[in-house]
Amino acid sequence: MGLSRRTFSALVGTTALGFALGGSGGAPTNASSSRSVPTGPAPGPPAADGLGHTVGFDRYSLLVDGKRLVLWSGEMHPFRLPSPSLWRDVLQKMRAHGHNAVSTYVPWSYHSPAPGAYDFTGVRDLDLFLRTAAETGLYVILRPGPYIDADVDGGGLPGWLTATEGRAGTADPTYVSYADEWLTRVNAIAARHLFTKGRGTVLLYELEDRFRSKARADGIDVPLLHGDQWRKRDGRPDPWGGEGYAESRRIRDAAYERRLHLTDLAGGSPLHNAYMTFGGTSWGWLPAPVVYTSYDYGAAIDEGRRPTAKLTPTHQIGHLLQRQPDFAKLRRAAAVKASDDRLKVHHLKNPDTDAHVYILRNDSAEKVSSTLPGTDFDVPVTVPARDARLVATGLSLGQRKLKYTTVQPMMCLTAGRQDIAVFAGPHGEMAQIALDCPEEPTTTRLDPEGAWAYGRGVLRVNAPLGAGGLTRVLVEGGGGDRPLLLLFADDATTLRLWPYDTPSGSVLVYGPALVRDVTLRGATAHVTGDTVGETGLEVWGPRGIGQVTWNQRPLRTRPSATGSLLMEQLLPGVRPVTLPALDGDWRRRTENPESAPDFDDSDWTVADKKTTYSITPVPKGGPVLFADDYGFHYGDVWYRGRFTDADDLESVSLAYSTGTQGLLMAWLDGEPLGTHRMPVPDDSTVRRGSWAATATFSVPEKVRERGSEHVLSVLVRRMARDTPKVARGLTAVTFKGASPKATWRLRGAAAPDPVRGPLNNGGLYGERKGWHLPEFADGDWQSVDLPRSDRRQGVTWYRTTFNLAVESGVDASIGLVLDDDPARAYRVQIFLNGWNMGQYINDVGPQHTFVLPNGILRTRGANTLALAVLSDGTTPSGPRDVRLTLLGSAAGGVPVEAI
């Protein structure tokens, strides 16, 4: 079930689509009646406009208010970015780079710390996220499960569900009743944001199939999806001990993404979703067993919210599908074979406009140039190695027809008195397009690189891509009433072209690193966005626009020969950002008093249960030791067992169950017995979510000789769960050489943090006492310098404070780097201002850089960093190198409120 819902691009064929899209809101449109819906302009950007809307579908596309919509969605999880201010930043970047929808999961566990308890405030404010998406102009695909997978603990099912009778994912009445309660809560929020009601932009809704009637009863009237219909993808998160997301991004680069997306388009997919467009961070105890803290995913927008080269295909294809109506109604056409058989050709046709689309895929290691016999192309088309290309014939470019293009069309829009068409491809390639012109047009080269020739009713235009940035050629007359401005851009330049739809018409902005918003008021275009380096600014807009502001600052502009307003000076880039060093003013304190025999555990929970709902067997005679059965669901858990009659005790065996990279530490009467840890996964075990092992420790003679009562203390770092009914923590304890009867108590996390939620903290002593919180008084701790080299089994805390003074108006993405000799075996829980930002395992990796989201990080003020270092005592433990790093910065950004 989990793999099939990893991504839901894409459905293929009318039958699958009709089955998955069960029902729609307003006046439903089905596949048979929709045949009369012609190719035409797409609906405008969505908004909470207070008007009712209809949502239908057929084999080609969604139908919104009777207009065809190709959904080009990107996956983004607000729970992986615990700073609500930054949700707007990511959503604006997604919209700017071609997406018209965002798909998001809603994890039950994130909102429900206990049965009957639900929290949708603060960083869990689903209502705010949906409002922000609507304000950004994005449709929403909402996916509340109840089971979501999404590489989160328990697939998003709450930890407390583990200790209930019901079996998740089945028709078990107990499970269904709890799930029904969850859906009641989340549906009440979703219903306030339905696009069909004009209240928001929730367009599609995905859930487990058995809960369809529940969704309808709760007023969810948009089309329903369920995960079983989505095709499995080979996109994967990076595991513990993996290669890291930099390598993932290198292997699955822009060319890989383009092949993937265009292959989906060639297969007739009416819905597209990129998992992930922004991966974010699996902070705290959120990550599933197989993944570490970073969920960067090699995504187009990286974990630090920085754009990457992988945005190129998203940007180009997304804007093409939104602004070229021919693509909303494509069917497979007659087979076409390239003259070079290394190119695989997919041929699609719009039955209304007779436009033809050819998707050429090159899986070879060499660039291939080939003719396409039987088509309108009379020149070869080139496809780079391991890449793909979309070319077309017969497309409408405003009032004109494209005869052919050897590079990808990116968009066509009307701005003012002219149509603007953009064509894109690799740097240095010669773009060739041909336009049907019954009469010879007036063609003007507005940049020196363009060239053209006219003959036999066809205008042929050539331009080298990327030479001098943007190449402009103006075509007037020749059978068209409106001028056509041709813009030729290489891949890098396309990422500086920003179309934006306003109620008064379309706007195209060229130059900045990002355009977030364009508002037309009177004769002024108010543009907001980001810059990195100095850049010019060019704006094409509706008639009557004579002035431009940038981030509320008026600009001096002049009209250009292209019909644009051209800025007379340059927009400034971002100023340098200085970060403080973290090599001094550290304070240190050792922890784990629970290992001492005289530690007072009288208020701990007694392990006295004899039965469990877990599928993990209980040892004969019990007791149940599973942490979840006693209400401890996340993070570390401590056990203390008291026993007598151990004079002949030779060894103790501790059976335990954890997720990937779990470990166990044991002490007897305060003396370390040792540490056992689960192995680093290899290729055959990398997807294993649950690990069970038995750690056997010899009992030193000096311990056996001490008194009559003994205390066995055990710390289990259990990581996360995959299957909710598999036990976590200690599962059985056996003794060799003696048969003492032990009585057990256990302790895990304290009550959930009311701001940070149930996934922030585990059961370490320092967490229970607030050592991770910025307000904790650590004045009596030992003052130390880094690097540090300790050798002890247990937990040691380090705390420091640092101040940042990032200039106002600068969006600085900052990370924390931990680095050390990989032979040193220790791990660190990282707390920033009380927030658990992840786990570092020095000798496993691959993660060394941890993103610190603005809002949690005070970029203008004081911050507290606390590191809980867990070491097995076999090697020196750090931390050694702890430093801040600037991941990227831009002038602009969004206003950020402190959490």
Side-chain angles (χ1 to χ4, degrees):
M1 178 168 63
L3 292 179
S4 66
R5 64 179 70 228
R6 167 88 49 208
T7 60
F8 57 86
S9 57
L11 293 170
V12 180
T14 305
T15 302
L17 181 62
F19 182 62
L21 291 173
S24 61
T29 307
N30 58 36
S32 59
S33 65
S34 65
R35 292 171 184 161
S36 61
V37 178
T39 298
D49 54 15
L51 304 175
H53 298 278
T54 61
V55 184
F57 58 91
D58 64 8
R59 62 174 295 184
Y60 299 111
S61 70
L62 291 175
L63 300 167
V64 174
D65 296 332
K67 295 181 178 181
R68 294 197 172 277
L69 173 73
V70 179
L71 204 69
W72 189 250
S73 172
E75 191 84 13
M76 181 259 181
H77 301 153
F79 59 87
R80 284 190 161 110
L81 183 56
S83 178
S85 300
L86 297 181
W87 299 344
R88 187 178 302 274
D89 174 70
V90 173
L91 292 172
Q92 286 181 341
K93 286 171 179 172
M94 289 173 62
R95 186 216 57 78
H97 285 292
H99 288 293
N100 58 7
V102 57
S103 168
T104 192
Y105 283 122
V106 188
W108 186 359
S109 58
Y110 194 63
H111 297 274
S112 180
Y118 296 92
D119 187 352
F120 289 93
T121 64
V123 297
R124 294 168 293 280
D125 193 340
L126 177 61
D127 190 87
L128 174 61
F129 178 78
L130 296 177
R131 290 201 312 270
T132 305
E135 292 164 2
T136 307
L138 291 173
Y139 293 105
V140 176
I141 303 167
L142 194 64
R143 305 203 271 169
Y147 177 83
I148 64 170
D149 185 6
D151 298 305
V152 295
D153 178 271
L157 299 178
W160 56 259
L161 196 67
T162 300
T164 65
E165 183 178 1
R167 184 64 57 87
T170 70
D172 181 281
T174 302
Y175 168 68
V176 171
S177 68
Y178 282 125
D180 196 74
E181 182 179 273
W182 157 244
L183 292 173
T184 296
R185 299 301 184 100
V186 75
N187 287 348
I189 298 172
R192 297 200 295 267
H193 296 272
L194 296 175
F195 183 65
T196 47
K197 305 298 186 187
R199 300 170 181 165
T201 56
V202 174
L203 187 73
L204 300 174
Y205 183 99
E206 184 198 16
L207 75 172
E208 292 180 32
D209 191 38
R210 65 180 56 83
F211 296 108
R212 285 170 174 258
S213 59
K214 169 63 177 171
R216 292 297 186 227
D218 287 345
I220 307 299
D221 64 353
V222 297
L224 301 179
L225 311 170
H226 65 93
D228 295 341
Q229 288 300 305
W230 303 114
R231 189 173 70 203
K232 177 181 173 182
R233 269 282 179 86
D234 62 347
R236 291 285 182 194
D238 196 49
W240 286 106
E243 297 178 321
Y245 284 114
E247 179 65 8
S248 218
R249 189 171 281 110
R250 186 190 69 81
I251 295 172
R252 296 176 176 86
D253 58 6
Y256 174 92
E257 291 291 305
R258 187 162 31 243
R259 278 190 299 163
L260 202 62
H261 293 317
L262 290 181
T263 300
D264 278 347
L265 187 66
S269 304
L271 310 180
H272 305 261
N273 185 64
Y275 189 104
M276 302 289 297
T277 296
F278 169 76
T281 305
S282 297
W283 59 281
W285 294 104
L286 188 66
V290 296
V291 296
Y292 46 92
T293 298
S294 174
Y295 204 67
D296 178 279
Y297 216 84
I301 301 172
D302 73 12
E303 188 180 0
R305 301 176 290 109
R306 298 175 301 171
T308 73
K310 290 179 70 169
L311 280 169
T312 301
T314 294
H315 190 84
Q316 295 172 355
I317 300 170
H319 287 305
L320 175 68
L321 296 181
Q322 290 185 56
R323 290 173 173 81
Q324 198 72 44
D326 306 77
F327 286 85
K329 193 174 182 180
L330 291 178
R331 63 172 55 161
R332 292 177 182 173
V336 170
K337 185 175 176 58
S339 57
D340 190 317
D341 59 12
R342 289 176 296 176
L343 287 188
K344 183 176 181 180
V345 181
H346 300 273
H347 181 199
L348 305 169
K349 176 184 176 181
N350 184 302
D352 297 337
T353 66
D354 203 34
H356 292 254
V357 175
Y358 303 89
I359 293 172
L360 315 177
R361 178 166 173 149
N362 176 15
D363 292 328
S364 76
E366 298 177 339
K367 179 171 67 174
V368 175
S369 294
S370 176
T371 58
L372 301 176
T375 70
D376 284 346
F377 288 87
D378 55 16
V379 293
V381 177
T382 301
V383 184
R386 298 188 179 91
D387 207 334
R389 174 159 296 179
L390 182 154
V391 294
T393 66
L395 285 184
S396 297
L397 300 181
Q399 294 183 343
R400 303 174 192 271
K401 281 284 187 181
L402 178 71
K403 183 174 177 62
Y404 66 75
T405 172
T406 64
V407 292
Q408 181 174 306
M410 178 178 154
M411 71 178 87
C412 184
L413 54 84
T414 300
R417 295 183 173 89
Q418 66 184 351
D419 299 320
I420 304 176
V422 182
F423 296 87
H427 180 81
E429 183 171 325
M430 182 63 71
Q432 303 179 65
I433 73 163
L435 298 175
D436 286 324
C437 296
E439 304 169 7
E440 182 171 2
T442 300
T443 307
T444 306
R445 178 172 55 200
L446 302 173
D447 293 289
E449 296 82 16
W452 68 90
Y454 177 79
R456 298 183 180 180
V458 177
L459 175 69
R460 289 176 168 83
V461 182
N462 296 346
L465 298 177
L470 198 62
T471 299
R472 307 158 179 86
V473 176
L474 182 64
V475 180
E476 300 174 282
D481 296 331
R482 274 201 312 265
L484 173 63
L485 179 63
L486 301 173
L487 302 180
F488 297 92
D490 66 355
D491 289 339
T493 302
T494 65
L495 295 178
R496 297 170 61 201
L497 280 166
W498 309 103
Y500 199 96
D501 296 317
T502 78
S504 302
S506 296
V507 176
L508 181 63
V509 181
Y510 171 54
L514 177 69
V515 168
R516 296 180 180 275
D517 181 75
V518 180
T519 303
L520 303 182
R521 289 196 296 269
T524 303
H526 300 274
V527 185
T528 64
D530 297 359
T531 60
V532 176
E534 284 191 334
T535 180
L537 181 75
E538 190 169 6
V539 178
W540 292 268
R543 296 173 60 180
I545 299 299
Q547 290 85 38
V548 177
T549 69
W550 172 257
N551 290 343
Q552 302 179 352
R553 182 169 65 91
L555 304 178
R556 290 201 319 270
T557 61
R558 60 176 174 81
S560 77
T562 69
S564 67
L565 291 174
L566 192 62
M567 185 178 174
E568 293 183 345
Q569 68 270 36
L570 295 177
L571 294 175
V574 64
R575 293 170 61 87
V577 175
T578 302
L579 301 178
L582 300 180
D583 53 1
D585 198 28
W586 284 91
R587 292 186 176 273
R588 171 185 178 272
R589 183 172 177 178
T590 58
E591 202 227 63
N592 54 278
E594 300 95 335
S595 64
D598 57 353
F599 177 80
D600 182 6
D601 59 16
S602 59
D603 63 343
W604 284 24
T605 302
V606 177
D608 56 2
K609 294 181 183 291
K610 301 298 182 182
T611 61
T612 179
Y613 293 117
S614 173
I615 61 175
T616 302
V618 178
K620 186 176 181 180
V624 175
L625 295 173
F626 313 156
D628 286 296
D629 286 60
Y630 298 95
F632 304 123
H633 305 301
Y634 306 109
D636 298 300
V637 62
W638 274 96
Y639 296 84
R640 282 171 57 88
R642 296 179 183 272
F643 58 91
T644 56
D645 302 324
D647 293 346
D648 298 320
L649 182 61
E650 299 175 15
S651 65
V652 58
S653 294
L654 305 170
Y656 71 116
S657 174
T658 73
T660 306
Q661 285 305 293
L663 62 74
L664 173 149
M665 292 180 172
W667 293 259
L668 185 57
D669 296 341
E671 296 289 335
L673 294 182
T675 297
H676 186 279
R677 57 191 291 183
M678 299 300 180
V680 179
D682 56 26
D683 289 343
S684 64
T685 59
V686 70
R687 299 302 299 174
R688 186 192 297 179
S690 288
W691 298 71
T694 299
T696 299
F697 301 109
S698 298
V699 176
E701 184 175 350
K702 64 178 181 178
V703 175
R704 293 199 301 267
E705 294 174 349
R706 289 178 183 166
S708 59
E709 184 178 72
H710 300 275
V711 178
L712 177 60
S713 302
V714 181
L715 173 63
V716 180
R717 176 152 292 182
R718 59 207 173 144
M719 307 301 277
R721 80 197 81 239
D722 52 350
T723 304
K725 294 297 183 181
V726 174
R728 287 291 185 261
L730 274 183
T731 56
V733 180
T734 55
F735 301 95
K736 182 180 180 181
S739 301
K741 285 289 186 179
T743 59
W744 288 94
R745 293 177 181 264
L746 70 162
R747 180 66 190 266
D753 186 306
V755 174
R756 301 169 182 91
L759 294 158
N760 193 71
N761 294 106
L764 293 181
Y765 181 86
E767 291 178 289
R768 305 197 306 268
K769 296 299 183 180
W771 294 5
H772 61 296
L773 297 173
E775 59 268 24
F776 178 78
D778 59 10
D780 60 343
W781 286 25
Q782 178 189 9
S783 182
V784 297
D785 293 324
L786 299 187
R788 185 74 188 179
S789 183
D790 293 329
R791 189 188 288 266
R792 67 181 294 268
Q793 176 177 292
V795 185
T796 305
W797 285 72
Y798 298 83
R799 284 171 54 97
T800 191
T801 59
F802 61 92
N803 288 285
L804 294 176
V806 178
E807 289 185 21
S808 178
V810 171
D811 179 12
S813 180
I814 296 171
L816 180 75
V817 177
L818 283 79
D819 206 2
D820 204 343
D821 179 351
R824 294 169 58 153
Y826 67 93
R827 55 185 67 189
V828 181
Q829 287 295 121
I830 301 166
F831 293 92
L832 175 70
N833 296 327
W835 292 80
N836 182 347
M837 297 314 305
Q839 182 173 188
Y840 168 75
I841 304 184
N842 182 66
D843 55 334
V844 175
Q847 185 173 5
H848 289 268
T849 301
F850 294 78
V851 174
L852 308 177
N854 298 345
I856 290 177
L857 179 72
R858 275 51 166 171
T859 57
R860 296 176 62 81
N863 297 273
T864 299
L865 179 65
L867 307 178
V869 178
L870 184 63
S871 172
D872 64 11
T874 61
T875 68
S877 64
R880 186 187 73 178
D881 184 11
V882 182
R883 66 185 186 275
L884 298 174
T885 185
L886 182 65
L887 302 174
S889 62
V894 297
V896 177
E897 295 183 5
I899 309 301

